[in-house]
Amino acid sequence: MEVAPVSCNSTQMGALSLLTRVLLHQIIQSQCNFHPPSMDRRDVGEVAIKQGFLDDYDFIVVGAGSGGSVVASRLSENPKWKVLLLEAGADPPIETEIPGLVFDTIKTKYDWQYYTEKSDKAGLAFPKGVYWPRGKVLGGSSSINVMLYVRGNPKDYDEWEELGNPGWKYKSVLRYFKRSEDNKNKDLFEMSGSDYHAMGGPLKVGTFLTPTETMRNVILNGAQSVGFEKNEDVNGEKQMGWGKTLGTVDDGKRCSAAKAFLQPAENRTNLHVIRNAHVTKIILNDKGEAEGVEFDLKGDKLVAKAKRETILSAGSINTPQVLMLSGVGPADHLKSLGIEVKKDLPVGLNLQDHILVPFFLKFHGSEPYDDEAAKREMADNIFLYFLHKIGPFAGIGVSDTVGFINTENSTSSVPDVQIINIHFLRGLPTFAKFIGMFGFADGIQRSLLEEYKRGDILVHAIILMKQKVPGKIELRSKDPYEHPKITANYLEDQSEVDTVVRAVRILQKMSKTKPYAKHEAQEVKVKLQSCDLLEKDSNAYWECYARHMTASCFHPVGTAKMGPETDLGSVVDPELRVKGIKGLRVVDASIMPTITRGNTNAPTIMIGEKASDMIGSHWKKIDKDLEKQ
């Protein structure tokens, strides 16, 4: 049988079943919507390999993640400026569009696949170290994350300004959050008002279209039963409490930073994007000026020059790696690897992350499991998603149901713990992918999967809002392709463990309330040989549990710290300029002096928005002064 070629406009799939027709059409249309053909024509990589660069660029942006996509798009709004955006990865695969397949792209070529160094204090259940996925794809980690839109606590940004960074307090940065936002939840917008939310920005912020109200009500009612308040908008007037947050989703599909900021720029001829471009170093001259970058493209070494600025937006791991490979970093460390020191700065230090410890509950354990019924339900859910963009595949369990609590002081306005909740319906493959993503030891994975056969699983993920002892990123060698050394320093401070134990006790109380009991909630016993020798349910047991099960919430920040001249631990100034290097800035999560209390994607996009304003204002003034001469 002859098969007609498929195009982005194809709607007729021949004599296929209705389900297959819908699936294929939606997959094709979704991919075309993300990646317009005009973007292909503006990937100048092949031309650069054959002929060199035909354009002189005003700005070069390294990394098309949550910071880089924003700054490249915003700078290219000025038609007089030519912008080159270099991304080490390629286009995101179709799986990234579908929220329910979020774990399918982890540990693939779209992920840098980092591991931390082994520790004797945390992550003991992970044979290879704690896994740190980072997006190696257009959109960066915003293309593979869980899509929660959480800004953090207003005091986070007030603290940044108090540390000597003028212009970064909450009232100053709020407008940049709002400038990005296109809030699709009109009820929430009307409730909180325009003081906190906005419509019309490039970043779609909406509701996960999942029919999970039963489990959501169990969690929220259980939280209220033990004294916590309900909060309809954790990005509004107050952060504390339990409620449903929004995500970077639109009509049941992911809205990554690339989709939000690069797709609207598809017709701008002054913005070039090169995929699969691995930047190996910043080119620095003898005057301490950044001239551009050197990068690898399909085995060819290329050099691109920037007349105005080079902007590093490679993320909290890759940004310090590139800086150190370029000779900007701790002098002793660089000298030990034979790297010429261009500027002695504390690059790679101040590494902070949100430490995650999972607490597992099983539901409906007495109900018999019907494998055939589960398969039929799976088919129905696939059909439901691709036809209407609703159902389990339109979200990630109840991950949009979050709690911000203070385990020590119930009247505090700042949380010490965030609880993210993920509900895994029995019969779906997502739970196996979830625990496989973290990389627990085989015995632990087997024991959890056995429990999953006997009931639904709810993961209450305990997330510590502040890390007491920062970690660090170091080079292993001068090889730009070798993963750097990540020393996470999880649970180095006993108070962190104590916070986890207090959070466990709160979740245990919730699990014994009527809303939970109605659904036969039971604690899942994780098999940990050394912990099982301790007194059952004692604080000592839960400390042992925490030190074994410590994972990452995948929010590394701080490795190119922002600070004033008096802050000897800082790398960039409040304008995000690398200290002592002219023409080089950092625009990503690595500039955070302290980690925000909540998911870090929205704050990183805000950083991109504010940086774009600072860079644009600086160069517009220079251009205007030149015109007067």
Side-chain angles (χ1 to χ4, degrees):
M1 180 176 69
E2 187 175 341
V3 179
V6 176
S7 74
C8 289
N9 296 317
S10 175
T11 56
Q12 179 60 44
M13 304 303 295
L16 298 174
S17 69
L18 175 62
L19 176 59
T20 307
R21 253 197 339 265
V22 172
L23 287 173
L24 289 177
H25 173 65
Q26 291 296 331
I27 288 172
I28 293 165
Q29 194 61 48
S30 179
Q31 183 65 37
C32 294
N33 285 343
F34 172 76
H35 178 44
S38 59
M39 293 293 284
D40 267 339
R41 291 196 297 271
R42 287 170 40 248
D43 187 325
V44 298
E46 292 294 336
V47 174
I49 290 174
K50 295 174 183 176
Q51 304 176 41
F53 283 97
L54 305 180
D55 290 279
D56 290 327
Y57 293 101
D58 293 285
F59 302 97
I60 295 174
V61 181
V62 179
S66 299
S69 292
V70 177
V71 74
S73 178
R74 292 301 191 189
L75 291 178
S76 68
E77 289 175 355
N78 186 333
K80 295 180 181 179
W81 293 340
K82 292 180 179 178
V83 181
L84 175 64
L85 176 60
L86 301 172
E87 168 54 45
D91 291 328
I94 186 61
E95 289 88 348
T96 63
E97 289 282 287
I98 304 168
L101 298 183
V102 66
F103 305 121
D104 285 49
T105 49
I106 304 298
K107 296 186 177 178
T108 69
K109 68 177 183 179
Y110 305 103
D111 171 12
W112 284 94
Q113 303 186 48
Y114 293 117
Y115 286 89
T116 68
E117 297 297 293
K118 293 277 289 178
S119 165
D120 61 357
K121 292 187 177 180
L124 304 180
F126 303 97
K128 296 176 66 176
V130 178
Y131 189 66
W132 276 21
R134 295 283 86 199
K136 188 180 183 183
V137 62
L138 278 179
S141 295
S142 75
S143 289
I144 65 170
N145 67 3
V146 297
M147 293 158 277
L148 295 189
Y149 182 79
V150 177
R151 295 172 178 173
N153 193 281
K155 289 191 177 180
D156 295 331
Y157 308 100
D158 294 344
E159 288 168 3
W160 291 5
E161 181 152 286
E162 289 166 7
L163 289 170
N165 299 293
W168 288 92
K169 64 182 177 181
Y170 181 66
K171 287 185 178 179
S172 299
V173 303
L174 179 58
R175 69 188 183 100
Y176 293 110
F177 280 114
K178 291 167 63 178
R179 184 164 79 172
S180 290
E181 185 182 16
D182 185 15
N183 196 308
K184 294 297 184 179
N185 189 321
K186 292 183 179 179
D187 292 339
L188 182 64
F189 184 86
E190 291 170 1
M191 178 186 68
S192 296
S194 58
D195 287 345
Y196 297 99
H197 296 289
M199 297 179 183
L203 183 68
K204 309 300 180 187
V205 178
T207 302
F208 290 95
L209 304 176
T210 52
T212 52
E213 292 308 311
T214 299
M215 183 55 67
R216 180 174 288 113
N217 289 335
V218 167
I219 296 168
L220 296 181
N221 292 337
Q224 287 179 291
S225 297
V226 297
F228 291 109
E229 291 185 3
K230 190 174 182 181
N231 185 355
E232 298 287 352
D233 184 9
V234 298
N235 296 309
E237 184 177 358
K238 65 175 185 177
Q239 184 188 28
M240 302 296 282
W242 290 72
K244 181 180 178 182
T245 189
L246 301 179
T248 49
V249 291
D250 181 32
D251 189 29
K253 297 184 292 184
R254 177 191 296 272
C255 183
S256 69
K259 184 187 286 188
F261 291 91
L262 298 182
Q263 187 171 321
E266 64 188 38
N267 294 319
R268 295 179 201 156
T269 57
N270 64 325
L271 173 61
H272 290 165
V273 181
I274 300 183
R275 303 167 183 82
N276 301 305
H278 188 123
V279 172
T280 53
K281 71 176 181 179
I282 307 296
I283 300 170
L284 302 174
N285 63 26
D286 294 335
K287 299 178 182 179
E289 301 169 330
E291 296 183 342
V293 300
E294 181 182 282
F295 65 100
D296 180 280
L297 182 62
K298 299 181 179 179
D300 286 281
K301 275 193 175 180
L302 301 177
V303 171
K305 296 292 186 72
K307 293 185 293 183
R308 297 176 188 258
E309 290 191 29
T310 298
I311 300 161
L312 256 181
S313 298
S316 294
I317 301 172
N318 296 86
T319 283
Q321 182 182 26
V322 172
L323 283 171
M324 288 187 282
L325 288 169
S326 309
V328 180
D332 290 344
H333 177 52
L334 300 185
K335 289 175 183 176
S336 71
L337 297 172
I339 297 173
E340 180 185 356
V341 179
K342 297 295 183 71
K343 183 63 180 178
D344 182 8
L345 287 173
V347 172
L349 307 182
N350 193 50
L351 173 63
Q352 300 162 55
D353 188 20
H354 286 139
I355 300 169
L356 181 154
V357 178
F359 179 77
F360 299 94
L361 292 175
K362 181 174 61 178
F363 286 77
H364 307 296
S366 63
E367 294 179 3
Y369 179 63
D370 186 338
D371 186 56
E372 290 302 316
K375 289 178 182 178
R376 290 192 298 271
E377 187 175 3
M378 170 74 89
D380 290 342
N381 288 331
I382 292 172
F383 183 86
L384 193 65
Y385 177 78
F386 282 105
L387 191 62
H388 301 294
K389 296 295 184 298
I390 60 175
F393 286 99
I396 310 163
V398 285
S399 60
D400 55 334
T401 304
V402 298
F404 286 98
I405 63 176
N406 192 298
T407 60
E408 272 192 307
N409 181 3
S410 61
T411 63
S412 175
S413 63
V414 294
D416 60 0
V417 161
Q418 176 185 5
I419 307 294
I420 294 180
N421 309 281
I422 307 181
H423 176 216
F424 295 94
L425 290 166
R426 185 167 39 164
L428 294 177
T430 46
F431 184 62
K433 291 179 180 178
F434 173 78
I435 59 175
M437 168 188 71
F438 284 109
F440 293 112
D442 290 344
I444 295 173
Q445 292 195 45
R446 283 195 299 270
S447 69
L448 288 170
L449 290 175
E450 281 299 314
E451 295 288 349
Y452 187 44
K453 290 179 182 179
R454 294 189 282 270
D456 295 353
I457 295 291
L458 174 65
V459 180
H460 285 305
I462 300 166
I463 299 161
L464 300 185
M465 292 288 87
K466 293 292 180 179
Q467 183 175 345
K468 298 296 178 67
V469 180
K472 59 183 177 179
I473 303 287
E474 296 175 297
L475 298 178
R476 295 185 188 276
S477 71
K478 292 195 290 186
D479 183 356
Y481 304 98
E482 185 173 15
H483 283 183
K485 181 181 178 182
I486 303 171
T487 304
N489 281 346
Y490 289 161
L491 303 186
E492 289 288 324
D493 191 290
Q494 180 62 33
S495 68
E496 295 174 335
V497 182
D498 296 340
T499 302
V500 173
V501 175
R502 288 195 302 269
V504 167
R505 297 307 186 193
I506 289 170
L507 293 173
Q508 286 178 322
K509 287 182 182 178
M510 285 175 56
S511 71
K512 292 177 174 61
T513 60
K514 288 183 179 180
Y516 280 77
K518 183 179 177 181
H519 296 273
E520 303 174 344
Q522 305 172 47
E523 282 186 34
V524 172
K525 180 72 172 175
V526 179
K527 293 182 179 179
L528 300 170
Q529 188 173 3
S530 56
C531 302
D532 291 340
L533 299 174
L534 301 170
E535 181 184 348
K536 182 181 178 182
D537 199 39
S538 63
N539 285 355
Y541 169 82
W542 287 111
E543 174 172 344
C544 180
Y545 176 93
R547 292 196 182 279
H548 277 75
M549 301 295 283
T550 318
S552 171
C553 199
F554 315 142
H555 297 159
V557 308
T559 50
K561 180 186 178 184
M562 171 176 63
E565 286 302 317
T566 54
D567 184 354
L568 301 182
S570 62
V571 175
V572 301
D573 67 15
E575 298 280 317
L576 308 189
R577 297 170 294 205
V578 176
K579 295 181 176 182
I581 303 292
K582 187 177 180 181
L584 181 62
R585 295 197 206 219
V586 174
V587 181
D588 57 33
S590 68
I591 66 95
M592 294 187 187
T594 56
I595 195 167
T596 55
R597 295 172 174 91
N599 305 65
T600 53
N601 185 49
T604 306
I605 290 173
M606 177 278 291
I607 290 167
E609 290 279 25
K610 182 171 171 57
S612 302
D613 255 14
M614 292 190 293
I615 297 167
S617 297
H618 172 77
W619 287 104
K620 284 175 184 176
K621 184 178 183 301
I622 290 177
D623 290 347
K624 191 174 182 179
D625 290 343
L626 288 174
E627 288 174 3
K628 291 179 181 179
Q629 294 178 4

